[in-house]
């Protein structure tokens, strides 16, 4: 496979381009083209900054000698996506003397991207954010579409804003340092795109499993580009999630309940919980007569081939998970709402799902 960078254009109200390929972080001229002013704040985390921040700063400085660059590094992990770190990022922008044409560069996974994006959305009512995702999950999902947020004790992503990036640059070479478990978590989100809108993609993923799990640049770049094209199309149609954008939450109602019930930071990570959640959503679809059980079991086989979990972790009861789902922000006033499917590539939004059917699926699982 060739390694020419891929590009995906997002026809948002403010259009932007996603670049995907190896070693793009060293392309200072490309980075500099995203700049409008003379200040840049690079936000990263304690795992990613030592690996890549210096390279990004050097590339930016070489391309824009007059540029004033500051670095703001947070500790790594979901527990850092907080209002306190948002406030710290705002302080860093103030210390830089950032003006309305300043740019924030988010170098890291979804935690950094969501946090830095929210700070950029709020500073002077909105300055540029360039997303430099370094996890597969961030490359295929969180860096695209403009959702930014932090968590509060009452729940995940409850404080945030829509703020589309000025550009996204996914350097696939950064995935070489990503722990294998995080790579697989990102592959769960890649599989999600096949499940919701692109059945052929599921066959392609199955056929390229070894290359993808082995970190092959070209295979990963292709998978990222196809995933981003789907996310771009959906978020262009429905930027504020009034309709179809919710399809991206396939597997998330079950997945979020698992994450919340086990406690963030312990047990399954987000992508793994989504893998289990997608299988449960497929089984619920079968229980409700929307799809065949064979489709659900084929999805299970694919997830297992990608070494992803498919079982609810021991100790989480169906009743406790259902209680979490009632609290989930996707549960509407009218009842439980799920993203289900009519089979591979054919997801749909289903409201008022009977709690009994959900419990039956969870109990059969256990
Ligand atoms: P993450 O940002 O916590 O990154 C996972 C781990 O990998 C961290 O420890 C990080 O330091 C490390 N890491 C990142 N890149 C690395 C690299 N190249 N080499 C070595 N280590 C590296 O987690 P994530 O899975 O990227 O993102 C999860 C977050 O994304 C959640 O907060 C979720 O809510 C959010 N999210 C947002 C959207 C959206 O649309 N905005 C969509 C999906 C998920
Ligand atoms: N990850 C879901 C969304 O961007 O809408």
């Amino acid at each position: 496979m060739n390694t020419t960078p891929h590009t995906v254009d997002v026809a948002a109200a403010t259009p932007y381009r996603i670049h995907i390929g190896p070693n793009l972080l060293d392309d200072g001229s490309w980075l500099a083209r995203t700049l409008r002013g003379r200040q840049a704040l690079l936000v990263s985390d304690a795992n990613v900054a030592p690996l890549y921040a210096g390279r990004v700063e050097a590339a930016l400085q070489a391309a824009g000698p007059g540029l004033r660059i500051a670095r703001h590094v947070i500790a790594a992990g979901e527990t850092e996506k907080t209002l306190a770190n948002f406030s710290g990022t705002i302080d860093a922008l103030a210390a830089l003397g950032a003006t309305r044409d300043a740019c924030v560069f988010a170098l890291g996974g979804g935690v950094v991207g969501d946090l830095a994006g929210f700070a950029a959305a709020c500073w002077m009512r909105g300055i540029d954010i360039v997303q430099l995702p370094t996890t597969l999950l961030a490359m295929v999902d969180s860096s695209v579409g403009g959702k930014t947020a932090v968590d509060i004790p009452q729940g995940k992503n409850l404080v945030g804003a829509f703020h589309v990036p000025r550009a996204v640059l996914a350097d696939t070479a950064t995935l070489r340092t990503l722990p294998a478990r995080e790579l697989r978590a990102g592959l769960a989100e890649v599989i999600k795109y096949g499940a919701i809108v692109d059945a052929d993609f599921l066959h392609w993923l199955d056929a390229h499993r070894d290359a993808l799990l082995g970190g092959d640049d070209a295979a990963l770049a292709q998978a990222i580009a196809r995933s981003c094209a789907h996310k771009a199309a959906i978020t262009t149609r429905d930027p504020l999630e009034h309709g179809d954008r919710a399809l991206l939450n396939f597997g998330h109602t079950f997945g979020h309940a698992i994450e919340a019930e086990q406690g963030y930071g312990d047990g399954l990570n987000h992508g793994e919980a989504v893998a289990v959640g997608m299988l449960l959503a497929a089984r619920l679809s079968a229980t409700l007569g929307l799809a065949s059980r064979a489709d659900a079991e084929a999805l299970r086989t694919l997830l297992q081939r990608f070494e992803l979990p498919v079982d609810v972790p021991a100790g989480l009861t169906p009743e406790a998970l259902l209680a979490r789902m009632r609290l989930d922000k996707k549960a509407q006033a009218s009842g439980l709402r799920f993203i289900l499917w009519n089979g591979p590539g054919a997801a749909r939004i289903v409201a008022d799902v009977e709690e009994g059917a959900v419990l039956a699926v969870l109990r059969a699982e256990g």
Side-chain angles (χ1 to χ4, degrees), residues 141 147 192 231 241 245 248-249:
D141 195 351
K147 278 189 181 175
K192 180 190 76 182
K231 181 140 188 191
E241 200 171 312
R245 184 166 180 159
L248 295 167
N249 296 325

Side-chain angles (χ1 to χ4, degrees), residues 26-34 59-60 63:
D26 297 318
D27 186 347
S29 63
W30 185 92
L31 285 170
R33 274 202 296 280
T34 64
L60 272 171

Side-chain angles (χ1 to χ4, degrees), residues 21-97:
N23 303 314
L24 297 181
L25 287 183
D26 297 318
D27 186 347
S29 63
W30 185 92
L31 285 170
R33 274 202 296 280
T34 64
L35 287 167
R36 292 195 282 191
R38 297 171 68 83
Q39 298 129 347
L41 180 70
L42 183 68
V43 181
S44 192
D45 76 22
N47 292 335
V48 177
L51 296 170
Y52 303 112
R55 271 170 57 191
V56 174
E57 286 162 356
L60 272 171
Q61 203 71 78
L67 189 66
R68 190 149 170 250
I69 306 171
R71 187 192 293 190
H72 181 65
V73 179
I74 60 166
E78 182 68 33
T79 50
E80 300 300 323
K81 216 173 91 173
T82 58
L83 280 171
N85 277 328
F86 165 79
S87 179
T89 310
I90 293 294
D91 288 346
L93 283 163
L96 180 64

